[in-house]
Amino acid sequence: MADLTITFLGTGTSLGVPMIGCDCRICRSTDSRDKRTRASIHVETADYAWLVDTGPDFRTQALREGVRRVDAVVFTHSHTDHIMGFDDLRPFCFGDKELPVYASPDTMRDLSRAFQFAFNGENRWPGYIRPLPHLIDGPFQFGATEITPLPVLHGRISVNGYLFRRNGEPLAAYLSDCKEVPAVVRAEIRGVRHLIVDALRYTPHPTHMNVEEALALASDVAADQTWLTHLSHDVMHAEAEAALPTGVRIAFDGLKIEI
Ligand SMILES: [Zn+2]
Ligand SMILES: [Zn+2]
Ligand SMILES: [Zn+2]
């Protein structure tokens, strides 16, 4: 078994691809890799399994991928495309189990406001979700995996990417929503085996990297393999991937990487 398996539950931007009401050639594409649900990943190791974000498509993603094990959930930030599937975590709390939820103080504040029925501790009927909040203030451990928060700029806000290390080896870094990656974060992830990074579209955007910016980051970080995610209907999988340099590929819903 691989040390760490990442399943891409979703690789799309907030509107998803296809986008409602759009007849562009990517929204009409018959390539299944051009169908992108909202971005999140499931990470599994021998001793622990977790999600990074629960977007509005979480239920269908979990059914599609047969997700059976979730020991904790980690959030990057509180934009709706990353949190709105939260209540569908209920099956992972059956038997009155508490589900550890890791987030920055800002993100936890927004989560506890959006899902106050779950966080306020009242009316804990059987079958309700039971979050156990953990505020992130530094690296933390899931079994033998060390998780390091990576604060990156997503427009005007700072959000968390995450680095996963086992036995001291940096296996994967996930930066789903970012426009700028500070030097200290670049230094932390340099040489990581797999870099997963935001690449919204080709033209510049105020809060997300475009493909060109993502490629510049990829060459700086020099991962063995870089994967582009959080993609809009600007990017046609087959065509875009053919134009990428060696070592950079486009992630798609259902892709599994075993590290
Ligand atoms: Zn997003
Ligand atoms: Zn379109
Ligand atoms: Zn966002």
Side-chain angles (χ1 to χ4, degrees), residues 77 79 81-82 154 157 159 177 208 230:
H77 65 309
H79 284 164
D81 56 321
H82 296 262
H154 177 31
I157 62 166
V159 307
D177 290 54
H208 293 274
H230 210 290

Side-chain angles (χ1 to χ4, degrees), residues 19 22 24 27 233:
M19 182 173 82
C22 186
C24 81
C27 287
H233 67 158

Side-chain angles (χ1 to χ4, degrees), residues 144-177:
T145 309
E146 186 185 49
I147 323 281
T148 304
L150 306 169
V152 293
L153 290 172
H154 177 31
R156 259 173 271 163
I157 62 166
S158 177
V159 307
N160 277 347
Y162 294 99
L163 172 65
F164 309 131
R165 261 196 201 96
R166 281 173 76 87
N167 303 317
E169 193 190 356
L171 297 181
Y174 183 68
L175 304 175
S176 72
D177 290 54

Side-chain angles (χ1 to χ4, degrees), residues 31-187:
D31 185 338
S32 62
R33 297 169 304 176
D34 287 324
K35 312 261 179 251
R36 305 182 178 116
T37 57
R38 270 60 71 87
S40 81
I41 54 172
H42 180 252
V43 187
E44 194 153 25
T45 66
D47 51 11
Y48 218 84
W50 62 97
L51 295 162
V52 181
D53 294 333
T54 54
D57 300 307
F58 172 65
R59 176 177 170 275
T60 43
Q61 294 167 335
L63 291 170
R64 187 193 71 214
E65 298 306 325
V67 171
R68 292 297 172 109
R69 184 166 179 195
V70 173
D71 298 312
V73 186
V74 185
F75 285 94
T76 58
H77 65 309
S78 61
H79 284 164
T80 55
D81 56 321
H82 296 262
I83 68 167
M84 280 303 163
F86 183 81
D87 196 52
D88 287 318
L89 291 165
R90 286 167 56 200
F92 302 103
C93 298
F94 285 173
D96 288 342
K97 268 195 304 207
E98 287 189 305
L99 184 63
V101 171
Y102 288 74
S104 70
D106 282 354
T107 300
M108 196 70 82
R109 181 202 61 213
D110 291 345
L111 281 170
S112 55
R113 194 161 49 202
F115 305 102
Q116 55 87 20
F117 59 90
F119 283 84
N120 69 10
E122 299 164 16
N123 300 324
R124 289 213 144 171
W125 304 109
Y128 267 37
I129 181 167
R130 299 168 74 94
L132 185 63
H134 292 267
L135 294 178
I136 295 173
D137 59 2
F140 51 99
Q141 203 79 22
F142 283 165
T145 309
E146 186 185 49
I147 323 281
T148 304
L150 306 169
V152 293
L153 290 172
H154 177 31
R156 259 173 271 163
I157 62 166
S158 177
V159 307
N160 277 347
Y162 294 99
L163 172 65
F164 309 131
R165 261 196 201 96
R166 281 173 76 87
N167 303 317
E169 193 190 356
L171 297 181
Y174 183 68
L175 304 175
S176 72
D177 290 54
C178 60
K179 174 68 177 175
E180 281 169 55
V181 178
V184 54
V185 170
R186 289 168 186 255

